[in-house]
Amino acid sequence: MKELLTMWRHTRMIILVALTAAVYAAVLIPFKAIPLIPGITEIRVAQIIPPVASLLFGPAAAWGTAIGNLIGDLFGTFGPGSFFGFIGNFFLGFIPYALWGRLGFLSSGQEPAMRNSRQVVEFVAVVLVSAVACAVIIAWGLEVLGLLPFAVLGNIITLNNFIFPAIVGPILLGLLYGRVKRWGLLWTQIMPAEDISTGRGTVGTGLAIVGSFGAYVLGNWISISGGALPFAAGFGQFGDPAVVGKASLVWALAPFMLALLLALFLCRPRTDLAASAERGMAA
Amino acid sequence: MDIYLYVEADTPLHRLDPRAKMLMLLALLLMAVAVDHPVLPGGLFLLVLVLAHVGRAWRSLRRVRTLLFIIGVFSTVTWSLFARGETPLFGPVQVEALLYGIGTGFKLVSTIAGSVVFLATTKNEEIATGLIRIGVPYPVAFAFSTALRLVPTFVGAGVTIIQAQKSRGLDVESGGFFQRLRKHLPLMVPVFAAAIRSTNQLAMALEAKGFGARPVRTYYLHLEFRPADWITAATGAALVVTALYLRLFSDALRIPGLIR
């Protein structure tokens, strides 16, 4: 969390926010013409950019992805969903760098240079978590607003966010990582250690994973079963039937949304991996 | 290639302060989602069309008309099948669900059309300055406006790279959708690399001009609230309150028998 705020002190990080946002929007806009859910989402080849940018530029990518998505919306699909699109895309850019090196047996324990299969596996894992987190936030938000059912949007956004980055992302990151590092533009090279949150981040990582997948599974179940949750039955009997299905989904997913919000504060990115790689090369 | 929606003109909407227009846009979004019945979102859509006429924004609206039509039809069909009601109409569709579907279609169409009218009558600089004046921190607004300016540059760079590769024999236009997509993907690398490389130069240029040197900044573009802006802002605020009232305390525009 700390680095998400302190990054605004560094001119290079601010430029990287703008560049990430501009590149993301520039690739998003042409594909607005191929909608998957008209007015809400489209074929998004640009989804390759958030995880790659996240592992290169850290917090600048989180802000850049959110702003880039908003700019993309301004070119034809700006609407009530744009607010949740901003938050969802923020997580899309936040989770990969925040969870890199924190996924236990899935972690490579190395910098994300995409040099071996363990790094690729870890990349796919963080992309999956970020894809689901982004999808459940947007799908939940539009369910709150009553614009689209969770089951429709949650699954399409998850697939959209996952497939392209999982296949092409490692190649793009592998091509760019070494260059960006040579240019001294990795976020860990720009930001001093005192501007970055420290700690193990176990709780934050757990909350991000539980919040994402818990909301995804429960949201789909309620949405498809029509809100037949045990605790919604009484509400349905005595409350307004017009809001029963919606209320059960909105309230049932609220704790998971809270978990994702807390993850923002409790995740602790690893900044020692690039440095340890340099030490290894020097040795 | 002009990808912006802004239309150069001197209309009452163009002359309004961007903050007043932002408040009106917020009011439109809230009003649209406040009720389920299609009467209010349908009325809002008509209002947006009137505003498009006043702001001479038809050219921008025409660019998204196909999208708006598809959105309206898609939302109506989706919700007619997903929502439930008490009065059968045909097959699995009930009257209440169809009404809700039409209302949702109008909600999306009116808000998107409203945002197009906003962008057709407000310059990027006005949006950025407006954001700063409503309290968005300067670095955030700066990043937003810089990104907005850079989008056409990167789209142009992408087109140039594709043309350069085509002149060397790369065939990016044959094959199915996914085949063409696969051919386009490697072309993103030079766009991305060129963008990243310019970071240091941009940062040096900014710092040389005193970026972030002083906490209080002055601006070339001065925004001033005039009577028309106050009236617009007051109308927007009243609409926001009305929307909240309708959503939270009123059953006036509910669809009886609708189950979601």
Side-chain angles (χ1 to χ4, degrees), chain A residues 11-12 15 19 39 74-76 143 146-149 176 183 242 245-246, chain B residues 3 71 79 100 111-112 119 192 195 197 199-200 206-207 247 258 260:
Chain A
T11 310
R12 275 161 189 74
I15 298 289
L19 291 176
L74 290 177
F75 287 87
E143 182 76 44
L147 291 177
L148 271 172
L176 290 172
W183 297 333
K246 181 179 167 180
Chain B
I3 61 169
I71 290 166
W79 276 113
Y100 184 72
T111 51
I112 292 170
L119 292 170
F192 212 52
R197 271 191 108 154
T199 303
N200 280 326
L206 279 175
E207 284 170 354
R247 185 79 203 171
L258 174 74
R260 290 191 47 234

PDB file of all heavy atoms in Angstrom, chain A residues 11-12 15 19 39 74-76 143 146-149 176 183 242 245-246, chain B residues 3 71 79 100 111-112 119 192 195 197 199-200 206-207 247 258 260:
ATOM      1  N   THR A  11       9.159  11.517 -10.243  1.00  0.00           N
ATOM      2  CA  THR A  11       8.754  11.936 -11.595  1.00  0.00           C
ATOM      3  C   THR A  11       8.723  10.760 -12.564  1.00  0.00           C
ATOM      4  O   THR A  11       7.794  10.636 -13.368  1.00  0.00           O
ATOM      5  CB  THR A  11       9.720  13.009 -12.122  1.00  0.00           C
ATOM      6  OG1 THR A  11       9.869  14.019 -11.128  1.00  0.00           O
ATOM      7  CG2 THR A  11       9.178  13.664 -13.388  1.00  0.00           C
ATOM      8  N   ARG A  12       9.730   9.878 -12.483  1.00  0.00           N
ATOM      9  CA  ARG A  12       9.763   8.737 -13.414  1.00  0.00           C
ATOM     10  C   ARG A  12       8.575   7.806 -13.222  1.00  0.00           C
ATOM     11  O   ARG A  12       8.044   7.261 -14.186  1.00  0.00           O
ATOM     12  CB  ARG A  12      11.083   7.973 -13.264  1.00  0.00           C
ATOM     13  CG  ARG A  12      12.210   8.572 -14.082  1.00  0.00           C
ATOM     14  CD  ARG A  12      13.585   8.153 -13.636  1.00  0.00           C
ATOM     15  NE  ARG A  12      14.599   8.946 -14.334  1.00  0.00           N
ATOM     16  CZ  ARG A  12      14.886  10.218 -14.089  1.00  0.00           C
ATOM     17  NH1 ARG A  12      14.215  10.871 -13.148  1.00  0.00           N
ATOM     18  NH2 ARG A  12      15.799  10.863 -14.781  1.00  0.00           N
ATOM     19  N   ILE A  15       5.611   9.431 -14.870  1.00  0.00           N
ATOM     20  CA  ILE A  15       5.691   9.247 -16.329  1.00  0.00           C
ATOM     21  C   ILE A  15       5.288   7.812 -16.694  1.00  0.00           C
ATOM     22  O   ILE A  15       4.573   7.589 -17.683  1.00  0.00           O
ATOM     23  CB  ILE A  15       7.131   9.511 -16.838  1.00  0.00           C
ATOM     24  CG1 ILE A  15       7.537  10.956 -16.555  1.00  0.00           C
ATOM     25  CG2 ILE A  15       7.268   9.182 -18.319  1.00  0.00           C
ATOM     26  CD1 ILE A  15       6.856  11.977 -17.392  1.00  0.00           C
ATOM     27  N   LEU A  19       2.555   6.536 -19.305  1.00  0.00           N
ATOM     28  CA  LEU A  19       2.913   5.681 -20.443  1.00  0.00           C
ATOM     29  C   LEU A  19       2.131   4.365 -20.420  1.00  0.00           C
ATOM     30  O   LEU A  19       1.626   3.918 -21.448  1.00  0.00           O
ATOM     31  CB  LEU A  19       4.415   5.403 -20.448  1.00  0.00           C
ATOM     32  CG  LEU A  19       5.312   6.596 -20.775  1.00  0.00           C
ATOM     33  CD1 LEU A  19       6.774   6.214 -20.654  1.00  0.00           C
ATOM     34  CD2 LEU A  19       5.031   7.124 -22.169  1.00  0.00           C
ATOM     35  N   GLY A  39     -21.116  -2.494 -24.654  1.00  0.00           N
ATOM     36  CA  GLY A  39     -21.155  -1.423 -23.671  1.00  0.00           C
ATOM     37  C   GLY A  39     -20.404  -1.733 -22.401  1.00  0.00           C
ATOM     38  O   GLY A  39     -20.174  -0.860 -21.575  1.00  0.00           O
ATOM     39  N   LEU A  74     -13.613   6.244 -22.120  1.00  0.00           N
ATOM     40  CA  LEU A  74     -14.000   7.571 -22.627  1.00  0.00           C
ATOM     41  C   LEU A  74     -14.144   7.586 -24.153  1.00  0.00           C
ATOM     42  O   LEU A  74     -14.683   8.518 -24.709  1.00  0.00           O
ATOM     43  CB  LEU A  74     -12.971   8.630 -22.201  1.00  0.00           C
ATOM     44  CG  LEU A  74     -12.953   8.985 -20.710  1.00  0.00           C
ATOM     45  CD1 LEU A  74     -11.851   9.979 -20.410  1.00  0.00           C
ATOM     46  CD2 LEU A  74     -14.286   9.570 -20.274  1.00  0.00           C
ATOM     47  N   PHE A  75     -13.637   6.551 -24.801  1.00  0.00           N
ATOM     48  CA  PHE A  75     -13.759   6.490 -26.256  1.00  0.00           C
ATOM     49  C   PHE A  75     -14.941   5.625 -26.670  1.00  0.00           C
ATOM     50  O   PHE A  75     -14.893   4.945 -27.683  1.00  0.00           O
ATOM     51  CB  PHE A  75     -12.450   5.989 -26.883  1.00  0.00           C
ATOM     52  CG  PHE A  75     -11.365   7.020 -26.838  1.00  0.00           C
ATOM     53  CD1 PHE A  75     -10.551   7.133 -25.728  1.00  0.00           C
ATOM     54  CD2 PHE A  75     -11.170   7.898 -27.886  1.00  0.00           C
ATOM     55  CE1 PHE A  75      -9.563   8.098 -25.660  1.00  0.00           C
ATOM     56  CE2 PHE A  75     -10.181   8.872 -27.827  1.00  0.00           C
ATOM     57  CZ  PHE A  75      -9.373   8.973 -26.709  1.00  0.00           C
ATOM     58  N   GLY A  76     -15.992   5.631 -25.887  1.00  0.00           N
ATOM     59  CA  GLY A  76     -17.220   4.989 -26.365  1.00  0.00           C
ATOM     60  C   GLY A  76     -18.000   4.159 -25.372  1.00  0.00           C
ATOM     61  O   GLY A  76     -19.165   3.881 -25.620  1.00  0.00           O
ATOM     62  N   GLU A 143     -23.572  -5.771 -10.693  1.00  0.00           N
ATOM     63  CA  GLU A 143     -24.724  -6.434 -10.062  1.00  0.00           C
ATOM     64  C   GLU A 143     -25.346  -5.468  -9.046  1.00  0.00           C
ATOM     65  O   GLU A 143     -26.575  -5.368  -8.955  1.00  0.00           O
ATOM     66  CB  GLU A 143     -24.268  -7.734  -9.380  1.00  0.00           C
ATOM     67  CG  GLU A 143     -25.359  -8.544  -8.735  1.00  0.00           C
ATOM     68  CD  GLU A 143     -26.238  -9.318  -9.716  1.00  0.00           C
ATOM     69  OE1 GLU A 143     -25.684  -9.922 -10.645  1.00  0.00           O
ATOM     70  OE2 GLU A 143     -27.465  -9.295  -9.538  1.00  0.00           O
ATOM     71  N   GLY A 146     -27.331  -3.216 -10.823  1.00  0.00           N
ATOM     72  CA  GLY A 146     -28.430  -3.880 -11.526  1.00  0.00           C
ATOM     73  C   GLY A 146     -28.300  -3.813 -13.033  1.00  0.00           C
ATOM     74  O   GLY A 146     -29.300  -3.799 -13.746  1.00  0.00           O
ATOM     75  N   LEU A 147     -27.064  -3.780 -13.544  1.00  0.00           N
ATOM     76  CA  LEU A 147     -26.893  -3.627 -14.994  1.00  0.00           C
ATOM     77  C   LEU A 147     -26.645  -4.942 -15.722  1.00  0.00           C
ATOM     78  O   LEU A 147     -27.054  -5.108 -16.856  1.00  0.00           O
ATOM     79  CB  LEU A 147     -25.755  -2.651 -15.280  1.00  0.00           C
ATOM     80  CG  LEU A 147     -26.054  -1.192 -14.896  1.00  0.00           C
ATOM     81  CD1 LEU A 147     -24.841  -0.315 -15.137  1.00  0.00           C
ATOM     82  CD2 LEU A 147     -27.237  -0.661 -15.683  1.00  0.00           C
ATOM     83  N   LEU A 148     -25.918  -5.863 -15.088  1.00  0.00           N
ATOM     84  CA  LEU A 148     -25.663  -7.155 -15.743  1.00  0.00           C
ATOM     85  C   LEU A 148     -25.523  -8.246 -14.690  1.00  0.00           C
ATOM     86  O   LEU A 148     -24.988  -7.997 -13.608  1.00  0.00           O
ATOM     87  CB  LEU A 148     -24.387  -7.096 -16.580  1.00  0.00           C
ATOM     88  CG  LEU A 148     -24.526  -6.636 -18.037  1.00  0.00           C
ATOM     89  CD1 LEU A 148     -23.166  -6.458 -18.653  1.00  0.00           C
ATOM     90  CD2 LEU A 148     -25.348  -7.617 -18.864  1.00  0.00           C
ATOM     91  N   PRO A 149     -25.972  -9.452 -15.009  1.00  0.00           N
ATOM     92  CA  PRO A 149     -25.853 -10.543 -14.029  1.00  0.00           C
ATOM     93  C   PRO A 149     -24.391 -10.931 -13.795  1.00  0.00           C
ATOM     94  O   PRO A 149     -23.589 -10.927 -14.733  1.00  0.00           O
ATOM     95  CB  PRO A 149     -26.610 -11.708 -14.696  1.00  0.00           C
ATOM     96  CG  PRO A 149     -27.368 -11.114 -15.832  1.00  0.00           C
ATOM     97  CD  PRO A 149     -26.645  -9.879 -16.238  1.00  0.00           C
ATOM     98  N   LEU A 176      11.097  -7.793 -22.636  1.00  0.00           N
ATOM     99  CA  LEU A 176      11.243  -6.433 -22.107  1.00  0.00           C
ATOM    100  C   LEU A 176      12.048  -6.345 -20.803  1.00  0.00           C
ATOM    101  O   LEU A 176      12.697  -5.334 -20.544  1.00  0.00           O
ATOM    102  CB  LEU A 176       9.854  -5.819 -21.869  1.00  0.00           C
ATOM    103  CG  LEU A 176       9.038  -5.479 -23.118  1.00  0.00           C
ATOM    104  CD1 LEU A 176       7.625  -5.060 -22.728  1.00  0.00           C
ATOM    105  CD2 LEU A 176       9.700  -4.354 -23.912  1.00  0.00           C
ATOM    106  N   TRP A 183      17.936  -0.146 -18.535  1.00  0.00           N
ATOM    107  CA  TRP A 183      17.634   1.285 -18.580  1.00  0.00           C
ATOM    108  C   TRP A 183      17.386   1.853 -17.179  1.00  0.00           C
ATOM    109  O   TRP A 183      17.129   3.047 -17.026  1.00  0.00           O
ATOM    110  CB  TRP A 183      16.393   1.543 -19.449  1.00  0.00           C
ATOM    111  CG  TRP A 183      16.575   1.151 -20.884  1.00  0.00           C
ATOM    112  CD1 TRP A 183      17.747   1.090 -21.593  1.00  0.00           C
ATOM    113  CD2 TRP A 183      15.549   0.736 -21.807  1.00  0.00           C
ATOM    114  NE1 TRP A 183      17.514   0.678 -22.879  1.00  0.00           N
ATOM    115  CE2 TRP A 183      16.173   0.455 -23.051  1.00  0.00           C
ATOM    116  CE3 TRP A 183      14.163   0.588 -21.718  1.00  0.00           C
ATOM    117  CZ2 TRP A 183      15.480   0.026 -24.177  1.00  0.00           C
ATOM    118  CZ3 TRP A 183      13.461   0.168 -22.836  1.00  0.00           C
ATOM    119  CH2 TRP A 183      14.113  -0.107 -24.048  1.00  0.00           C
ATOM    120  N   ALA A 242     -38.549  -8.000  -5.292  1.00  0.00           N
ATOM    121  CA  ALA A 242     -37.813  -7.416  -6.417  1.00  0.00           C
ATOM    122  C   ALA A 242     -36.319  -7.366  -6.157  1.00  0.00           C
ATOM    123  O   ALA A 242     -35.531  -7.233  -7.078  1.00  0.00           O
ATOM    124  CB  ALA A 242     -38.332  -6.012  -6.700  1.00  0.00           C
ATOM    125  N   GLY A 245     -32.931 -11.691  -5.085  1.00  0.00           N
ATOM    126  CA  GLY A 245     -31.769 -12.292  -5.746  1.00  0.00           C
ATOM    127  C   GLY A 245     -30.574 -11.395  -5.690  1.00  0.00           C
ATOM    128  O   GLY A 245     -29.465 -11.810  -5.352  1.00  0.00           O
ATOM    129  N   LYS A 246     -30.795 -10.135  -5.994  1.00  0.00           N
ATOM    130  CA  LYS A 246     -29.720  -9.165  -6.006  1.00  0.00           C
ATOM    131  C   LYS A 246     -29.133  -8.999  -4.611  1.00  0.00           C
ATOM    132  O   LYS A 246     -27.919  -9.009  -4.439  1.00  0.00           O
ATOM    133  CB  LYS A 246     -30.263  -7.832  -6.505  1.00  0.00           C
ATOM    134  CG  LYS A 246     -29.236  -6.765  -6.576  1.00  0.00           C
ATOM    135  CD  LYS A 246     -29.858  -5.498  -7.094  1.00  0.00           C
ATOM    136  CE  LYS A 246     -28.896  -4.351  -6.853  1.00  0.00           C
ATOM    137  NZ  LYS A 246     -29.430  -3.117  -7.334  1.00  0.00           N
TER     138      LYS A 246
ATOM    139  N   ILE B   3      -8.860  10.340 -33.255  1.00  0.00           N
ATOM    140  CA  ILE B   3      -9.637   9.361 -32.479  1.00  0.00           C
ATOM    141  C   ILE B   3     -10.451  10.057 -31.387  1.00  0.00           C
ATOM    142  O   ILE B   3     -11.217   9.402 -30.688  1.00  0.00           O
ATOM    143  CB  ILE B   3      -8.740   8.271 -31.853  1.00  0.00           C
ATOM    144  CG1 ILE B   3      -7.739   8.871 -30.886  1.00  0.00           C
ATOM    145  CG2 ILE B   3      -8.039   7.474 -32.919  1.00  0.00           C
ATOM    146  CD1 ILE B   3      -7.022   7.828 -30.063  1.00  0.00           C
ATOM    147  N   ILE B  71     -25.815  -2.389 -27.930  1.00  0.00           N
ATOM    148  CA  ILE B  71     -25.909  -2.388 -26.461  1.00  0.00           C
ATOM    149  C   ILE B  71     -27.371  -2.459 -26.024  1.00  0.00           C
ATOM    150  O   ILE B  71     -27.744  -3.255 -25.147  1.00  0.00           O
ATOM    151  CB  ILE B  71     -25.260  -1.112 -25.885  1.00  0.00           C
ATOM    152  CG1 ILE B  71     -23.750  -1.173 -26.056  1.00  0.00           C
ATOM    153  CG2 ILE B  71     -25.615  -0.917 -24.419  1.00  0.00           C
ATOM    154  CD1 ILE B  71     -23.067   0.172 -25.829  1.00  0.00           C
ATOM    155  N   TRP B  79     -31.411  -9.397 -20.074  1.00  0.00           N
ATOM    156  CA  TRP B  79     -32.188  -9.289 -18.836  1.00  0.00           C
ATOM    157  C   TRP B  79     -33.587  -9.882 -18.968  1.00  0.00           C
ATOM    158  O   TRP B  79     -34.179 -10.330 -17.983  1.00  0.00           O
ATOM    159  CB  TRP B  79     -32.254  -7.845 -18.355  1.00  0.00           C
ATOM    160  CG  TRP B  79     -31.041  -7.489 -17.553  1.00  0.00           C
ATOM    161  CD1 TRP B  79     -30.068  -6.602 -17.900  1.00  0.00           C
ATOM    162  CD2 TRP B  79     -30.643  -8.039 -16.296  1.00  0.00           C
ATOM    163  NE1 TRP B  79     -29.098  -6.559 -16.941  1.00  0.00           N
ATOM    164  CE2 TRP B  79     -29.413  -7.423 -15.939  1.00  0.00           C
ATOM    165  CE3 TRP B  79     -31.186  -8.988 -15.429  1.00  0.00           C
ATOM    166  CZ2 TRP B  79     -28.734  -7.732 -14.762  1.00  0.00           C
ATOM    167  CZ3 TRP B  79     -30.499  -9.287 -14.245  1.00  0.00           C
ATOM    168  CH2 TRP B  79     -29.298  -8.663 -13.926  1.00  0.00           C
ATOM    169  N   TYR B 100     -37.859  -4.671 -17.502  1.00  0.00           N
ATOM    170  CA  TYR B 100     -36.566  -4.440 -16.829  1.00  0.00           C
ATOM    171  C   TYR B 100     -35.431  -4.430 -17.864  1.00  0.00           C
ATOM    172  O   TYR B 100     -34.515  -3.612 -17.786  1.00  0.00           O
ATOM    173  CB  TYR B 100     -36.329  -5.533 -15.784  1.00  0.00           C
ATOM    174  CG  TYR B 100     -35.078  -5.325 -14.985  1.00  0.00           C
ATOM    175  CD1 TYR B 100     -35.010  -4.314 -14.036  1.00  0.00           C
ATOM    176  CD2 TYR B 100     -33.960  -6.122 -15.193  1.00  0.00           C
ATOM    177  CE1 TYR B 100     -33.850  -4.103 -13.306  1.00  0.00           C
ATOM    178  CE2 TYR B 100     -32.802  -5.919 -14.469  1.00  0.00           C
ATOM    179  CZ  TYR B 100     -32.753  -4.913 -13.533  1.00  0.00           C
ATOM    180  OH  TYR B 100     -31.599  -4.702 -12.818  1.00  0.00           O
ATOM    181  N   THR B 111     -26.439   6.659 -20.641  1.00  0.00           N
ATOM    182  CA  THR B 111     -25.209   7.098 -19.967  1.00  0.00           C
ATOM    183  C   THR B 111     -24.027   7.160 -20.940  1.00  0.00           C
ATOM    184  O   THR B 111     -23.221   8.084 -20.877  1.00  0.00           O
ATOM    185  CB  THR B 111     -24.857   6.170 -18.788  1.00  0.00           C
ATOM    186  OG1 THR B 111     -24.866   4.819 -19.238  1.00  0.00           O
ATOM    187  CG2 THR B 111     -25.823   6.322 -17.648  1.00  0.00           C
ATOM    188  N   ILE B 112     -23.946   6.175 -21.835  1.00  0.00           N
ATOM    189  CA  ILE B 112     -22.843   6.207 -22.804  1.00  0.00           C
ATOM    190  C   ILE B 112     -23.017   7.389 -23.756  1.00  0.00           C
ATOM    191  O   ILE B 112     -22.063   8.132 -24.024  1.00  0.00           O
ATOM    192  CB  ILE B 112     -22.755   4.866 -23.568  1.00  0.00           C
ATOM    193  CG1 ILE B 112     -22.320   3.750 -22.610  1.00  0.00           C
ATOM    194  CG2 ILE B 112     -21.774   4.968 -24.736  1.00  0.00           C
ATOM    195  CD1 ILE B 112     -22.414   2.356 -23.177  1.00  0.00           C
ATOM    196  N   LEU B 119     -17.791  14.485 -23.861  1.00  0.00           N
ATOM    197  CA  LEU B 119     -16.474  14.514 -24.519  1.00  0.00           C
ATOM    198  C   LEU B 119     -16.497  15.329 -25.809  1.00  0.00           C
ATOM    199  O   LEU B 119     -15.478  15.895 -26.195  1.00  0.00           O
ATOM    200  CB  LEU B 119     -16.007  13.086 -24.824  1.00  0.00           C
ATOM    201  CG  LEU B 119     -15.677  12.243 -23.604  1.00  0.00           C
ATOM    202  CD1 LEU B 119     -15.469  10.798 -23.991  1.00  0.00           C
ATOM    203  CD2 LEU B 119     -14.428  12.771 -22.917  1.00  0.00           C
ATOM    204  N   PHE B 192       5.840  -0.739 -27.199  1.00  0.00           N
ATOM    205  CA  PHE B 192       6.027  -0.719 -25.760  1.00  0.00           C
ATOM    206  C   PHE B 192       7.463  -0.300 -25.414  1.00  0.00           C
ATOM    207  O   PHE B 192       7.676   0.546 -24.539  1.00  0.00           O
ATOM    208  CB  PHE B 192       5.732  -2.118 -25.217  1.00  0.00           C
ATOM    209  CG  PHE B 192       5.155  -2.117 -23.841  1.00  0.00           C
ATOM    210  CD1 PHE B 192       4.056  -1.341 -23.529  1.00  0.00           C
ATOM    211  CD2 PHE B 192       5.694  -2.904 -22.840  1.00  0.00           C
ATOM    212  CE1 PHE B 192       3.513  -1.339 -22.256  1.00  0.00           C
ATOM    213  CE2 PHE B 192       5.162  -2.912 -21.561  1.00  0.00           C
ATOM    214  CZ  PHE B 192       4.073  -2.135 -21.263  1.00  0.00           C
ATOM    215  N   ALA B 195       8.016   3.363 -26.003  1.00  0.00           N
ATOM    216  CA  ALA B 195       7.356   4.171 -24.964  1.00  0.00           C
ATOM    217  C   ALA B 195       8.192   4.192 -23.692  1.00  0.00           C
ATOM    218  O   ALA B 195       8.415   5.242 -23.091  1.00  0.00           O
ATOM    219  CB  ALA B 195       5.970   3.586 -24.681  1.00  0.00           C
ATOM    220  N   ARG B 197      11.371   3.626 -23.333  1.00  0.00           N
ATOM    221  CA  ARG B 197      12.656   4.323 -23.526  1.00  0.00           C
ATOM    222  C   ARG B 197      12.542   5.826 -23.364  1.00  0.00           C
ATOM    223  O   ARG B 197      13.498   6.494 -22.978  1.00  0.00           O
ATOM    224  CB  ARG B 197      13.192   4.033 -24.936  1.00  0.00           C
ATOM    225  CG  ARG B 197      14.035   2.813 -25.004  1.00  0.00           C
ATOM    226  CD  ARG B 197      14.714   2.754 -26.329  1.00  0.00           C
ATOM    227  NE  ARG B 197      16.133   3.028 -26.192  1.00  0.00           N
ATOM    228  CZ  ARG B 197      17.028   2.572 -27.049  1.00  0.00           C
ATOM    229  NH1 ARG B 197      16.652   1.882 -28.095  1.00  0.00           N
ATOM    230  NH2 ARG B 197      18.296   2.826 -26.875  1.00  0.00           N
ATOM    231  N   THR B 199      10.874   7.375 -21.230  1.00  0.00           N
ATOM    232  CA  THR B 199      10.576   7.759 -19.843  1.00  0.00           C
ATOM    233  C   THR B 199      11.618   8.719 -19.272  1.00  0.00           C
ATOM    234  O   THR B 199      11.277   9.778 -18.724  1.00  0.00           O
ATOM    235  CB  THR B 199      10.514   6.502 -18.940  1.00  0.00           C
ATOM    236  OG1 THR B 199       9.543   5.621 -19.480  1.00  0.00           O
ATOM    237  CG2 THR B 199      10.145   6.857 -17.521  1.00  0.00           C
ATOM    238  N   ASN B 200      12.896   8.358 -19.411  1.00  0.00           N
ATOM    239  CA  ASN B 200      13.944   9.192 -18.824  1.00  0.00           C
ATOM    240  C   ASN B 200      13.979  10.585 -19.442  1.00  0.00           C
ATOM    241  O   ASN B 200      14.130  11.581 -18.736  1.00  0.00           O
ATOM    242  CB  ASN B 200      15.306   8.518 -18.966  1.00  0.00           C
ATOM    243  CG  ASN B 200      15.510   7.452 -17.896  1.00  0.00           C
ATOM    244  OD1 ASN B 200      15.038   7.598 -16.776  1.00  0.00           O
ATOM    245  ND2 ASN B 200      16.182   6.373 -18.252  1.00  0.00           N
ATOM    246  N   LEU B 206      10.589  17.318 -17.835  1.00  0.00           N
ATOM    247  CA  LEU B 206       9.650  17.831 -16.832  1.00  0.00           C
ATOM    248  C   LEU B 206      10.378  18.481 -15.667  1.00  0.00           C
ATOM    249  O   LEU B 206      10.036  19.588 -15.226  1.00  0.00           O
ATOM    250  CB  LEU B 206       8.795  16.679 -16.292  1.00  0.00           C
ATOM    251  CG  LEU B 206       7.613  16.236 -17.128  1.00  0.00           C
ATOM    252  CD1 LEU B 206       6.973  15.013 -16.507  1.00  0.00           C
ATOM    253  CD2 LEU B 206       6.591  17.358 -17.216  1.00  0.00           C
ATOM    254  N   GLU B 207      11.400  17.782 -15.162  1.00  0.00           N
ATOM    255  CA  GLU B 207      12.113  18.306 -13.998  1.00  0.00           C
ATOM    256  C   GLU B 207      12.881  19.577 -14.353  1.00  0.00           C
ATOM    257  O   GLU B 207      13.013  20.477 -13.531  1.00  0.00           O
ATOM    258  CB  GLU B 207      13.037  17.229 -13.430  1.00  0.00           C
ATOM    259  CG  GLU B 207      12.238  16.175 -12.647  1.00  0.00           C
ATOM    260  CD  GLU B 207      13.052  14.960 -12.256  1.00  0.00           C
ATOM    261  OE1 GLU B 207      14.215  14.850 -12.674  1.00  0.00           O
ATOM    262  OE2 GLU B 207      12.502  14.105 -11.532  1.00  0.00           O
ATOM    263  N   ARG B 247     -34.041   6.013  -5.407  1.00  0.00           N
ATOM    264  CA  ARG B 247     -33.405   4.712  -5.181  1.00  0.00           C
ATOM    265  C   ARG B 247     -33.694   4.174  -3.783  1.00  0.00           C
ATOM    266  O   ARG B 247     -33.949   2.990  -3.591  1.00  0.00           O
ATOM    267  CB  ARG B 247     -31.898   4.853  -5.388  1.00  0.00           C
ATOM    268  CG  ARG B 247     -31.135   3.552  -5.310  1.00  0.00           C
ATOM    269  CD  ARG B 247     -31.275   2.782  -6.584  1.00  0.00           C
ATOM    270  NE  ARG B 247     -31.045   1.357  -6.438  1.00  0.00           N
ATOM    271  CZ  ARG B 247     -31.286   0.475  -7.389  1.00  0.00           C
ATOM    272  NH1 ARG B 247     -31.778   0.840  -8.539  1.00  0.00           N
ATOM    273  NH2 ARG B 247     -31.060  -0.791  -7.204  1.00  0.00           N
ATOM    274  N   LEU B 258     -41.338  -7.906 -10.231  1.00  0.00           N
ATOM    275  CA  LEU B 258     -40.028  -8.249 -10.811  1.00  0.00           C
ATOM    276  C   LEU B 258     -39.175  -8.965  -9.774  1.00  0.00           C
ATOM    277  O   LEU B 258     -39.084  -8.542  -8.626  1.00  0.00           O
ATOM    278  CB  LEU B 258     -39.298  -6.978 -11.260  1.00  0.00           C
ATOM    279  CG  LEU B 258     -37.864  -7.174 -11.745  1.00  0.00           C
ATOM    280  CD1 LEU B 258     -37.857  -7.810 -13.133  1.00  0.00           C
ATOM    281  CD2 LEU B 258     -37.120  -5.851 -11.793  1.00  0.00           C
ATOM    282  N   ARG B 260     -35.250 -10.483  -9.394  1.00  0.00           N
ATOM    283  CA  ARG B 260     -33.929 -10.590 -10.019  1.00  0.00           C
ATOM    284  C   ARG B 260     -33.060 -11.570  -9.270  1.00  0.00           C
ATOM    285  O   ARG B 260     -33.118 -11.678  -8.100  1.00  0.00           O
ATOM    286  CB  ARG B 260     -33.236  -9.235 -10.030  1.00  0.00           C
ATOM    287  CG  ARG B 260     -33.862  -8.265 -10.983  1.00  0.00           C
ATOM    288  CD  ARG B 260     -32.971  -7.084 -11.112  1.00  0.00           C
ATOM    289  NE  ARG B 260     -31.604  -7.573 -11.315  1.00  0.00           N
ATOM    290  CZ  ARG B 260     -30.556  -7.209 -10.557  1.00  0.00           C
ATOM    291  NH1 ARG B 260     -30.718  -6.363  -9.608  1.00  0.00           N
ATOM    292  NH2 ARG B 260     -29.367  -7.707 -10.782  1.00  0.00           N
TER     293      ARG B 260
END
